Amino acid sequence: MSDSLQMKSPPESKRGNWTGHLGFILAATGSAIGLGNIWKFPYITGVYGGGAFVLVYLICVVIVGLPLMLAELIVGRRTQKNPVGAFKNLHKKGSLWQGTGWLGVASGFLILSFYSVVAGWALAYIFKAIAGFEGTAEQIQAEFGSLVASTGESIFWHSMFMLMCIGIVIGGVKRGIERWSKILMPSLFVILGGLMIYGLFFTHGGMQAVEFLFKPDFSKLSAEGVLSALGHAFFTLSLGMGAMITYGSYMKRGSSIIRDAVAVSILDTVVALVAGIAIFAMVFSYGTEPAAGPGLIFQTLPVLFQQTGPWISVPFFVLLTFAALTSGISLLEVVVSYFVDERGWGRTSATLVMGGTIYLIGLLSAVSVWKVPFTSGTGWFDFFDVLTTNYMLPIGGFLTCLFVAYVMKDADRADEFGSRGLLYSGLKFFLRYITPIAVLVVILHGLELLPFMEYGN
Ligand code: PHE
C-alpha cells in the first residue's frame, strides 16, 4: 500500500470491525479479565496482606492503567492497524517506534505460550471437580503437583486450550472473537455473581473476606507490595503489548473512548474484587491461610471444595477457563493481526501457523523438567513469565506512553479523544509526567535497581 493511502482505513470487510459498542466492550473486558483477576489477584492480595494492597492497586489502575489504556485505544482507533502498522502509520515508514509494536507482538507470542499452560490446568480442574476431590488435604494438594509434573497431561490440556483459541480467532473479529465474547462474558458474570452470593451469604467467612479486602492495614504494606500492585495493574488490564491497540483498531469512530476505557477498567477491577470476596469467604470460613501463594486456587480451594461439593467447584473452574479463553484469544489476535495487515497473510493461515508456533513454544513451559540452558535450573515457564510481565510489558507500556505524550500530533490525539476539555488536559498531564515515571519505577524494580529497596544477591 502506498504511503499516501496509509492514513485511510483499509476496507472494513477485510480487517473486520466490531458490530457495535457492546461488541467492543465485551471483547475488551474479555481480554482484561483473565487469570490475572481470578488466579493472581487473590493470591497476591493474600501474600501482601489485604486491604492496603488493594487500595494501592486501585490507585495504580487510575493513575497508570486508565491513561495507558486511553493511549492504546487512541493509537489503535486512529490508525485501524495492528501494533507495528499503527506506530509506522503515525510516525513514518522505517520509524524506530515500530519497535514498540514488534515488542508487543513478541510479548503476545510469549505470554500466550505459558498462559495456555495455566489455562490448561484450569480446564483439567473442571474435570477433577466433576469427579470430586477426595482424600486427605495433603493428597488433594499433591494432585496439583502431579498434574504439573506429568508431561503427558500438561501437554494434553495445553493442546486443548490452544485449539480452542485457534478455533475462535479463525472465525474473525465479528464471527469469532465478538461472538464468543458475547457468550462467554455474560456467563462469566453470572457464575461469578453466584459464587459471590454463596461466599457472602452461605459461608461464615463472608464478612471477614470483605474486611480483609477493604479494611486497609498499612503496617502490612511493603514497598515490594506497592510495586507488585503497580505491575499487576498493567497485566490485568492487558496493557503494554498492543492488545488494546489491536482491539481499538476494530472500533468504529464515533463512540467515546474515555467512556469505554473507564467501563473496561471498572469491570476488570470489580471482577477481581468479587473473585477475591468469593475466594476469601471460603478460605476464612474453613479457617485456612489467605497467604497460600500461587497454589491458592489449585491447592487450597480444592480442599475446601470437598465440603462444598461440585455445585460450587465446577462453576468455579468453568469461570476460570472462560476468563482465560477470552484473554488467550486477544493475545493470539495481536500476533494474527500483524501477519494479516503487514504481511498480507489470510486470517486462516496466519491463525493456524502462528497458533501452531505458539503451541510448540508452549511445550517448553508445559514440560516442567525442561530447563533454560545456562541457568541454575530455571524452568521455561518462570523464565517467560518474568521476562514478559516484569520487562516486556512495562517497557512496551513506557514507550507507548512516551509516543502518545510526546511524538503523536496533538491534532490526531485530540481528534481521537473527542475533546480538548479538562479531561483531555488531564490525560496529557498524566501521560507526560505521572504514568511514565510510575512505569519506569516498575522497570527499575524488575532490574533490581531501585536504590531504596533491598535486593538479596
Ligand atoms: N489481562 C489478562 C489477565 O488478567 C492477561 C493479558 C495480558 C491478556 C496482556 C492480554 C494481554 O489475565
Side-chain angles (χ1 to χ4, degrees):
M1 191 185 282
S2 81
D3 269 350
S4 61
L5 280 177
Q6 276 191 357
M7 278 310 288
K8 290 213 187 105
S9 349
E12 281 190 8
S13 52
K14 187 155 180 282
R15 280 193 94 240
N17 273 108
W18 309 117
T19 47
H21 196 228
L22 185 69
F24 166 75
I25 297 277
L26 287 179
T29 34
S31 170
I33 297 169
L35 296 169
N37 303 59
I38 296 163
W39 170 58
K40 206 163 178 195
F41 175 75
Y43 97 68
I44 54 178
T45 301
V47 170
Y48 292 114
F53 173 84
V54 173
L55 191 65
V56 175
Y57 159 76
L58 294 177
I59 295 171
C60 293
V61 166
V62 176
I63 66 170
V64 178
L66 193 57
L68 212 51
M69 177 160 320
L70 282 163
E72 288 203 17
L73 292 178
I74 285 174
V75 168
R77 196 173 72 173
R78 185 80 194 158
T79 57
Q80 309 268 304
K81 293 270 185 191
N82 68 92
V84 176
F87 284 100
K88 180 162 79 186
N89 198 319
L90 286 173
H91 198 221
K92 54 179 188 246
K93 217 174 170 187
S95 159
L96 279 179
W97 286 103
Q98 276 182 83
T100 311
W102 278 107
L103 192 68
V105 174
S107 306
F109 212 87
L110 294 181
I111 296 178
L112 183 54
S113 79
F114 69 85
Y115 202 84
S116 165
V117 176
V118 184
W121 299 339
L123 207 51
Y125 265 76
I126 297 180
F127 293 90
K128 285 184 189 289
I130 292 173
F133 295 103
E134 271 161 31
T136 63
E138 287 73 31
Q139 281 166 339
I140 294 175
Q141 294 190 350
E143 253 185 63
F144 179 61
S146 58
L147 170 67
V148 176
S150 152
T151 305
E153 258 189 279
S154 290
I155 292 183
F156 175 77
W157 293 111
H158 163 59
S159 317
M160 288 299 121
F161 184 77
M162 278 310 296
L163 278 176
M164 286 156 73
C165 289
I166 291 172
I168 294 177
V169 170
I170 260 186
V173 178
K174 273 197 193 79
R175 287 180 39 234
I177 300 176
E178 180 175 328
R179 188 169 67 176
W180 280 95
S181 301
K182 282 183 166 164
I183 300 171
L184 296 171
M185 294 314 289
S187 321
L188 181 146
F189 295 136
V190 170
I191 298 177
L192 192 63
L195 289 173
M196 183 186 74
I197 291 173
Y198 172 77
L200 279 179
F201 303 112
F202 294 89
T203 72
H204 312 297
M207 276 303 113
Q208 219 180 327
V210 172
E211 231 175 70
F212 181 68
L213 286 168
F214 296 106
K215 204 166 146 201
D217 172 357
F218 287 97
S219 66
K220 287 194 187 148
L221 189 68
S222 58
E224 180 81 38
V226 173
L227 292 165
S228 299
L230 194 51
H232 184 67
F234 243 96
F235 186 81
T236 188
L237 291 172
S238 303
L239 298 173
M241 53 153 285
M244 291 299 160
I245 296 183
T246 310
Y247 274 18
S249 78
Y250 303 131
M251 269 168 131
K252 290 178 190 153
R253 295 264 157 74
S255 64
S256 149
I257 275 190
I258 178 119
R259 198 185 49 201
D260 290 352
V262 168
V264 174
S265 309
I266 290 181
L267 281 168
D268 182 74
T269 307
V270 168
V271 166
L273 294 172
V274 171
I277 292 176
I279 291 170
F280 287 120
M282 285 189 263
V283 166
F284 288 126
S285 70
Y286 295 108
T288 19
E289 238 319 270
L296 184 67
I297 64 171
F298 290 113
Q299 292 181 300
T300 308
L301 284 192
V303 177
L304 312 180
F305 285 149
Q306 240 186 339
Q307 330 271 340
T308 66
W311 303 112
I312 298 300
S313 62
V314 176
F316 180 81
F317 289 110
V318 170
L319 167 81
L320 192 60
T321 305
F322 283 6
L325 190 56
T326 49
S327 299
I329 56 181
S330 74
L331 290 159
L332 183 55
E333 181 60 25
V334 170
V335 180
V336 167
S337 73
Y338 165 73
F339 281 90
V340 170
D341 290 352
E342 302 298 305
R343 306 263 157 166
W345 292 23
R347 171 169 284 273
T348 308
S349 35
T351 312
L352 287 175
V353 173
M354 288 304 128
T357 315
I358 294 170
Y359 167 73
L360 292 177
I361 297 185
L363 293 179
L364 288 171
S365 300
V367 181
S368 57
V369 289
W370 288 349
K371 304 291 177 200
V372 184
F374 312 114
T375 62
S376 48
T378 307
W380 285 99
F381 185 102
D382 294 327
F383 175 71
F384 287 143
D385 183 11
V386 170
L387 179 69
T388 53
T389 316
N390 294 5
Y391 303 98
M392 292 171 73
L393 292 186
I395 293 172
F398 181 67
L399 294 173
T400 308
C401 185
L402 293 186
F403 182 85
V404 175
Y406 295 104
V407 183
M408 196 172 171
K409 287 197 201 95
D410 192 53
D412 285 348
R413 196 176 47 202
D415 183 35
E416 213 51 56
F417 186 77
S419 86
R420 282 183 185 271
L422 204 61
L423 279 178
Y424 181 66
S425 311
L427 173 68
K428 268 201 325 203
F429 178 78
F430 270 90
L431 287 177
R432 291 211 161 144
Y433 308 110
I434 311 285
T435 316
I437 293 174
V439 177
L440 196 62
V441 169
V442 176
I443 299 171
L444 291 176
H445 175 61
L447 294 167
E448 304 201 343
L449 285 177
L450 285 183
F452 52 86
M453 295 286 292
E454 276 181 23
Y455 297 108
N457 288 313

